[in-house]
Amino acid sequence: MTTAARPPGPGSAPSPDAPLSPGRRDGAGGHQGVAAAFAGLPRVVDLLAARAEEHDRDAGFPYQGIEAVHDAGLLTLTVSERHGGPGAGLADTVRALTELGRGDPSVALVTALTLLVHARQARTSQWPEAVYADLLADSVRGPALVGVLGPADGPGQGVTARRGDGCWLLTGCEPGVAGAEALAWMVVTARTDEEQPRDGLFLVQGDTPGVQVEPTWDQLGLRATASHDVVFEAVEVGDDAVVRLGARSGDSEDDEPLDRAWTDLALPAVYLGVARAARSWLVRALRPVLLEGRFQDAQLEAAVGSIEVELTTAEELLLALARGVDEGSPDALRRTAAGRIVATRAAVSVVEQAVALSGSAGLSRAHPLERHFRDVLHARGHGRREHELLAEAGRQALQGR
């Protein structure tokens, strides 16, 4: 965990009022906190881009980048107004994550996961207010990253909860936790060891005794996320930090589509940012080629135009769906999975086309396009797989929905 200067963001005492839904505004036209965060966004993106190669090479966690995101108010963008935050909606979140992804997708992804937690709290008050107040206090002191862990499905993975003396004891392992070494809080899915096992969500502070990080992350891309394994050894969790246990009576079933919608649109935005960075590098690289007349202008321009059309279409679709979700459109809510597929496909396709057009230079570690190519391949690795989403869309179409 790291600290930074105090932002003018959340941290005031929680209000007992009913939670407000985030996202009634878009960018500079809304809450002054949203406008201020977007005003500082270009500087943050430049800083992230300047350090991205270094962090990619050494696979070191980008603490400075996270601090810059925090200082600009971007790490708490979705904290509700009743908790002293800007209450940004999904459209603002998509815009911010696309820009951060353009600078460093590792920073953008870790930021996205924290923003999703705050957004869900704004909608549902899932966390106990006293515990959430602790998270907000941490957010005032410095970057307070939140990770959502589990359930893991590999052999020997996953976390078990057993009853201790006035608390729950968590034991087990969660693999591939983004930002593991820097998390202030973790939302851990665990199964009890009772005769009739129950599933629960437990809130654990990152520096709780018994929490250990095993440095296992060694992937092709997103190397700076430091997505190491987190091991729990009889980690104590008080009853006041249990979000849910057993039947999901405390959750609103109506909110589940909103959870999926935010995930469907927020995470692909990170990778559209990667694609936008790849497109920009390609354009700068090809300008001298055009000036020297090495290729027919129309042929090269058409190839770049194809990239531009595909990327712009995906960006606009993602943003339009996000605005629809913010406005409560049922149609937009039903179509976010489709938006996710289109955006993910476009991000990967754009970077692949950029590599093809750039030749060997696109695969040279002397240029950032090679890193963009490795990073964007992780776009398909979040949540439900594409074939599952397509099968669901097919079933709905065949059922006449």
Side-chain angles (χ1 to χ4, degrees), residues 77-78 89-101 105 107-117 119 123 258-274 317-319 321-323 325 336-337 339-341 343-344 379 382:
L77 195 65
T78 55
L90 183 51
D92 286 326
T93 302
V94 164
R95 291 175 57 217
L97 291 174
T98 301
E99 286 299 297
L100 293 176
V107 173
L109 180 63
V110 175
T111 298
L113 299 176
T114 297
L115 291 178
L116 289 173
V117 169
R123 295 191 304 273
L258 276 175
D259 286 344
R260 290 194 294 268
W262 274 72
T263 301
D264 284 344
L265 303 184
L267 297 185
V270 172
Y271 297 99
L272 286 180
V274 176
L317 173 62
L318 213 64
L319 189 56
L321 287 172
R323 286 172 174 152
V325 171
T336 59
R340 172 181 173 173
I341 292 172
T344 299
H382 303 293

Side-chain angles (χ1 to χ4, degrees), residues 311-322:
L311 180 55
T312 301
T313 300
E315 289 171 338
E316 291 300 320
L317 173 62
L318 213 64
L319 189 56
L321 287 172

Side-chain angles (χ1 to χ4, degrees), residues 175-314:
V177 178
E181 68 188 66
L183 295 178
W185 287 84
M186 304 176 191
V187 184
V188 183
T189 298
R191 176 161 292 181
T192 67
D193 66 348
E194 300 164 315
E195 184 175 344
Q196 296 293 329
R198 295 179 290 169
D199 289 330
L201 284 180
F202 300 83
L203 305 178
V204 181
Q205 289 185 281
D207 57 359
T208 302
V211 176
Q212 300 180 24
V213 176
E214 297 288 343
T216 54
W217 184 247
D218 189 18
Q219 295 287 311
L220 184 68
L222 294 183
R223 291 174 55 75
T225 59
S227 299
H228 303 308
D229 294 357
V230 177
V231 178
F232 298 87
E233 295 184 358
V235 175
E236 295 185 7
V237 180
D239 290 333
D240 60 344
V242 178
V243 171
R244 185 182 70 235
L245 193 59
R248 299 183 57 145
S249 57
D251 286 5
S252 168
E253 293 183 1
D254 292 338
D255 194 66
E256 290 182 2
L258 276 175
D259 286 344
R260 290 194 294 268
W262 274 72
T263 301
D264 284 344
L265 303 184
L267 297 185
V270 172
Y271 297 99
L272 286 180
V274 176
R276 177 58 66 181
R279 170 264 179 207
S280 298
W281 181 89
L282 178 69
V283 168
R284 289 193 299 270
L286 289 181
R287 280 174 184 152
V289 175
L290 286 172
L291 292 176
E292 294 171 13
R294 283 188 248 162
F295 292 95
Q296 294 182 5
D297 289 1
Q299 179 183 355
L300 195 55
E301 288 168 357
V304 175
S306 176
I307 287 176
E308 193 70 16
V309 168
E310 188 171 6
L311 180 55
T312 301
T313 300

Side-chain angles (χ1 to χ4, degrees), residues 20-210:
L20 299 177
S21 297
R24 296 163 304 283
R25 300 166 300 274
D26 191 19
H31 190 284
Q32 61 180 0
V34 176
F38 273 88
L41 189 55
R43 182 190 65 81
V44 174
V45 172
D46 288 344
L47 185 150
L48 298 184
R51 299 290 301 275
E53 179 184 356
E54 171 191 342
H55 292 304
D56 174 74
R57 286 184 180 271
D58 64 18
F61 189 75
Y63 286 100
Q64 184 184 38
I66 293 296
E67 287 181 357
V69 171
H70 163 77
D71 290 346
L74 294 161
L75 196 58
T76 50
L77 195 65
T78 55
V79 173
S80 67
E81 291 180 78
R82 73 189 185 96
H83 287 117
L90 183 51
D92 286 326
T93 302
V94 164
R95 291 175 57 217
L97 291 174
T98 301
E99 286 299 297
L100 293 176
R102 190 167 60 83
D104 185 342
S106 291
V107 173
L109 180 63
V110 175
T111 298
L113 299 176
T114 297
L115 291 178
L116 289 173
V117 169
H118 285 303
R120 194 186 202 294
Q121 182 69 11
R123 295 191 304 273
T124 68
S125 293
Q126 182 187 52
W127 288 40
E129 286 290 357
V131 182
Y132 190 64
D134 290 340
L135 169 59
L136 294 179
D138 290 342
S139 299
V140 172
R141 288 189 289 268
L145 298 175
V146 186
V148 180
L149 287 62
D153 54 10
Q157 298 174 350
V159 179
T160 298
R162 64 180 176 86
R163 192 63 189 169
D165 185 11
C167 66
W168 289 94
L169 300 174
L170 304 186
T171 300
C173 175
E174 285 292 346
V177 178
E181 68 188 66
L183 295 178
W185 287 84
M186 304 176 191
V187 184
V188 183
T189 298
R191 176 161 292 181
T192 67
D193 66 348
E194 300 164 315
E195 184 175 344
Q196 296 293 329
R198 295 179 290 169
D199 289 330
L201 284 180
F202 300 83
L203 305 178
V204 181
Q205 289 185 281
D207 57 359
T208 302

